Amino acid sequence: MNPTKTAAWNNLTDHYDQIKGLSIADHFYRQPNRGDEYTLQSLGLHIDYSKHRLNQETIRLLVKLAEEMELSQAILAMFRGDRINRTENRSVLHTALRDLSSSSLMVAGEDLLPEIKRVRQQMEVFSEMVRDGSYLGHSGKPIRHIINLGIGGSDLGPAMVCQALTPYQHPHLTVDFVSNVDGSHLAQVLAGKSPDQTLFIVASKTFTTQETMTNALSAKQWLINHYNGDQKAVAAHFIALSTNQEAVCEFGIDPKNIFVFWDWVGGRYSLTSAIGLSIMLAIGKDNFKSLLSGFHQMDRHFLQTPLESNIPVLLALIGIWYNNFWGAQSHAILPYDQYLHRFPAYLQQTDMESNGKSVDQQGKVTSYQTGAVIWGEAGTNGQHAFYQLLHQGTKLIPADFIAFTKSHHQMGDHHQKLLSNFIAQTRALAFGRTVEKLSQLNIPKELVPYKVFDGNRPTTSIMAQQLNPDILGKLIALYEHKVFVQGHIWNIYSFDQWGVELGKELAGEILPELRGGLAGGEFDSSTNRLINYFREHQS
Ligand code: F6P
């Protein structure tokens, strides 16, 4: 269904005209208790959405839009395993991977939970052996270095989580991630590592991805060179996470070292599947369980909570409000926690690969905007880089500010300073600084226009006590479901990614040209020139 044809969309358009003149400060003037009224506290999260250009009527109409778009039915359909990824004819069941409370999940006559549990158990046994030093490499030494070779969903999630949960990491294991086909990435990570104590995880759902397979082959060569050509070393030093068992075996990986998952797990939604093995190796099985439990609690909340107090739904609807009614093009993710500095990059794939679409579920080009540009950086670093534009630029950029009351490192007053910045920024963005305020200060007149802050820049503040596995699971699931809600309301297919195909295909055509052959001539003049420039400047 086209969302713009609903009554709620029309009403929202009228409502926008009625309230567009009201600033966030005006809303606070009319509702001085907004800080209380527009805060949700649930699952250990404190979500303050008061500093937005909206009132209760806005929320009511947005919820109506979700109802008219039959959001609740869509949520149920995903959880019960309907093939909602229609262009790939697949179910979307990442929620089943962390379902710690159901006794069965029947999909097309098959109970999925026993197989999910079996793989999780296989991961637990394996990770415990590596962690306690009883898993030995080819020359009988315990593993000290883990290198995950994967890209996109087979890299971003595990890399982000391992970084975020650094305080929970095994003290004697290093965990690295190599994604880029740029050989510098692999070379940099391999430097200084002893092959006989290194374990490679080849993480690839399809086991055909160019970058991952190229890195895996080079890593294999590095290992075999160390063992003077002894191919048998591969079995002890390479494991695979994949849905494609045949290709894994062809690569030479021991079938007992394959950790499988299924086509109903989307790449960018896969970190709680076998793709999360690097996480389990880093933080141990109990912390991994807490992570799953956090995910599961948010899944339940999403499934069971009425739309108006459902955290992912509310944040999704507020995003739609800015995207489709105020014309916002981007959305910033600003975690005030250094350990979360990969979170914006991770969410870029979750959100932009899911909702960066312009054809609706009926095959028609959408007449309205869909997914926003997601970007961000950890605070306070971003304050010294791009916040100037957030405060005084010409763009409207709604932002999520994320922070934790307790630090993992009690170091002087660092944490109070960090949090004072976190709180100050959303206040400055919302309320700004007026000419009248400036006139009370001793500012030279000619500088006044430059020192005015219009304010009225919307933010959501998300707080929790500490960045631990449970809270991180909840946060990630919150954004996964936010993306689902937006994709559903925009009437697009959020779980395919056809838009990444063309570039891959053309790279396949261009590669032989770069390897040699005749001078270019098959492509457009720009492409030909680039190819020729490469050929002429290699040595
Ligand atoms: O190029 C996009 C993509 O297909 C992502 O959706 C996926 O997460 C990534 O590539 C890696 O794919 P694979 O796990 O199959 O190697």
Side-chain angles (χ1 to χ4, degrees):
M1 196 200 316
N2 181 338
T4 65
K5 301 281 183 262
T6 59
W9 191 282
N10 274 329
N11 292 336
L12 278 162
T13 308
D14 294 343
H15 175 68
Y16 166 76
D17 283 335
Q18 282 155 19
I19 73 161
K20 67 181 180 213
L22 294 177
S23 68
I24 295 171
D26 294 331
H27 286 298
F28 269 85
Y29 181 75
R30 291 176 172 206
Q31 296 169 283
N33 291 330
R34 276 176 77 89
D36 300 324
E37 288 161 16
Y38 292 74
T39 292
L40 283 176
Q41 278 184 305
S42 192
L43 307 175
L45 295 170
H46 178 101
I47 317 266
D48 177 343
Y49 60 102
S50 61
K51 295 191 185 91
H52 280 294
R53 301 174 181 180
L54 52 76
N55 59 23
Q56 293 298 359
E57 178 62 1
T58 324
I59 300 289
R60 192 185 70 77
L61 291 172
L62 286 167
V63 168
K64 270 253 162 288
L65 172 65
E67 284 167 358
E68 276 191 71
M69 292 302 292
E70 302 185 343
L71 174 64
S72 301
Q73 293 88 317
I75 296 173
L76 281 174
M78 175 171 72
F79 274 77
R80 75 173 169 244
D82 290 9
R83 291 180 179 248
I84 60 169
N85 177 1
R86 294 226 189 97
T87 60
E88 296 180 314
N89 191 27
R90 289 175 183 167
S91 304
V92 175
L93 276 168
H94 45 275
T95 51
L97 299 165
R98 57 263 189 150
D99 187 344
L100 302 173
S101 61
S102 306
S103 51
S104 69
L105 178 68
M106 300 302 293
V107 177
E110 193 195 338
D111 186 1
L112 299 185
L113 293 191
E115 187 58 4
I116 292 172
K117 282 186 191 147
R118 182 193 67 74
V119 176
R120 199 183 305 137
Q121 223 152 34
Q122 183 197 3
M123 291 165 66
E124 288 178 2
V125 170
F126 181 80
S127 63
E128 284 306 289
M129 280 168 62
V130 174
R131 286 169 62 84
D132 69 17
S134 58
Y135 182 91
L136 303 177
H138 189 58
S139 54
K141 290 191 186 159
I143 296 300
R144 286 284 166 261
H145 308 296
I146 291 153
I147 302 179
N148 189 86
L149 307 171
I151 197 164
S154 300
D155 166 77
L156 286 164
M160 179 277 287
V161 171
C162 285
Q163 174 73 44
L165 299 179
T166 301
Y168 300 84
Q169 283 206 13
H170 191 290
H172 305 307
L173 288 176
T174 66
V175 184
D176 285 283
F177 292 83
V178 176
S179 50
N180 204 329
V181 76
D182 180 350
S184 308
H185 200 178
L186 183 62
Q188 196 183 19
V189 170
L190 292 182
K193 302 250 176 2
S194 47
D196 49 1
Q197 296 205 283
T198 300
L199 176 75
F200 291 99
I201 303 177
V202 189
S204 176
K205 180 174 170 180
T206 54
F207 225 74
T208 57
T209 304
Q210 185 197 51
E211 292 91 333
T212 303
M213 298 328 295
T214 306
N215 281 324
L217 285 171
S218 298
K220 189 167 147 187
Q221 200 52 54
W222 177 79
L223 183 87
I224 291 172
N225 288 348
H226 171 79
Y227 283 112
N228 298 318
D230 184 356
Q231 299 275 344
K232 280 196 233 103
V234 175
H237 292 271
F238 273 80
I239 63 168
L241 323 174
S242 188
T243 57
N244 186 351
Q245 300 193 54
E246 213 180 302
V248 176
C249 292
E250 249 169 57
F251 183 86
I253 290 177
D254 190 340
K256 74 171 189 310
N257 283 340
I258 307 178
F259 299 81
V260 298
F261 57 110
W262 309 274
D263 68 2
W264 42 260
V265 184
R268 53 194 174 274
Y269 298 89
S270 65
L271 78 88
T272 52
S273 72
I275 286 293
L277 185 60
S278 52
I279 303 171
M280 196 188 274
L281 284 159
I283 66 173
K285 64 180 168 60
D286 294 335
N287 284 320
F288 192 80
K289 267 242 165 79
S290 303
L291 180 75
L292 293 189
S293 157
F295 268 96
H296 183 51
Q297 288 173 66
M298 184 55 79
D299 292 344
R300 291 279 126 189
H301 168 92
F302 182 51
L303 184 63
Q304 295 167 345
T305 310
L307 299 182
E308 58 278 6
S309 46
N310 190 311
I311 302 170
V313 173
L314 257 181
L315 296 197
L317 292 174
I318 292 171
I320 287 173
W321 176 233
Y322 289 113
N323 195 65
N324 297 100
F325 296 90
W326 290 86
Q329 293 284 326
S330 86
H331 184 100
I333 305 288
L334 306 169
Y336 275 64
D337 190 300
Q338 189 58 26
Y339 286 133
L340 269 189
H341 80 96
R342 295 285 294 157
F343 198 49
Y346 162 74
L347 287 181
Q348 281 180 329
Q349 190 202 13
T350 311
D351 199 316
M352 293 161 79
E353 199 169 79
S354 298
N355 287 342
K357 316 275 167 73
S358 51
V359 174
D360 70 15
Q361 295 199 5
Q362 286 68 45
K364 300 251 158 40
V365 173
T366 60
S367 56
Y368 45 88
Q369 290 285 306
T370 61
V373 176
I374 303 295
W375 62 285
E377 174 60 73
T380 56
N381 291 0
Q383 291 177 203
H384 299 270
F386 53 80
Y387 278 38
Q388 164 66 42
L389 185 147
L390 291 187
H391 283 286
Q392 289 187 316
T394 53
K395 310 272 186 297
L396 168 64
I397 304 177
D400 292 353
F401 279 69
I402 304 168
F404 305 92
T405 56
K406 274 167 73 176
S407 168
H408 281 286
H409 303 283
Q410 291 307 332
M411 199 181 283
D413 62 354
H414 285 234
H415 203 59
Q416 281 112 337
K417 284 178 176 158
L418 177 71
L419 269 281
S420 67
N421 276 283
F422 165 78
I423 295 170
Q425 286 296 328
T426 61
R427 179 164 158 74
L429 285 163
F431 303 108
R433 190 166 56 189
T434 58
V435 177
E436 295 77 62
K437 256 266 155 53
L438 280 171
S439 63
Q440 292 158 18
L441 309 169
N442 237 352
I443 308 270
K445 218 165 147 225
E446 67 278 14
L447 284 185
V448 167
Y450 301 102
K451 289 185 166 262
V452 168
F453 288 70
D454 295 336
N456 201 25
R457 307 203 175 219
T459 60
T460 300
S461 299
I462 301 176
M463 295 187 80
Q465 211 177 13
Q466 192 160 42
L467 180 56
N468 59 34
D470 169 72
I471 285 292
L472 182 61
K474 287 170 184 162
L475 262 184
I476 301 171
L478 157 54
Y479 281 98
E480 283 180 348
H481 297 319
K482 175 190 166 190
V483 167
F484 172 85
V485 172
Q486 294 191 331
H488 176 76
I489 290 179
W490 288 324
N491 187 34
I492 54 177
Y493 287 123
S494 295
F495 295 101
D496 59 21
Q497 55 286 316
W498 300 111
V500 300
E501 294 302 322
L502 180 59
K504 288 185 195 175
E505 279 167 32
L506 293 187
E509 287 174 25
I510 288 169
L511 183 59
E513 299 282 328
L514 300 189
R515 283 182 173 148
L518 298 168
E522 296 292 313
F523 305 99
D524 60 275
S525 59
S526 163
T527 305
N528 286 337
R529 257 212 93 162
L530 293 169
I531 291 170
N532 286 335
Y533 183 84
F534 176 82
R535 284 175 173 170
E536 287 159 17
H537 292 84
Q538 275 189 89
S539 49

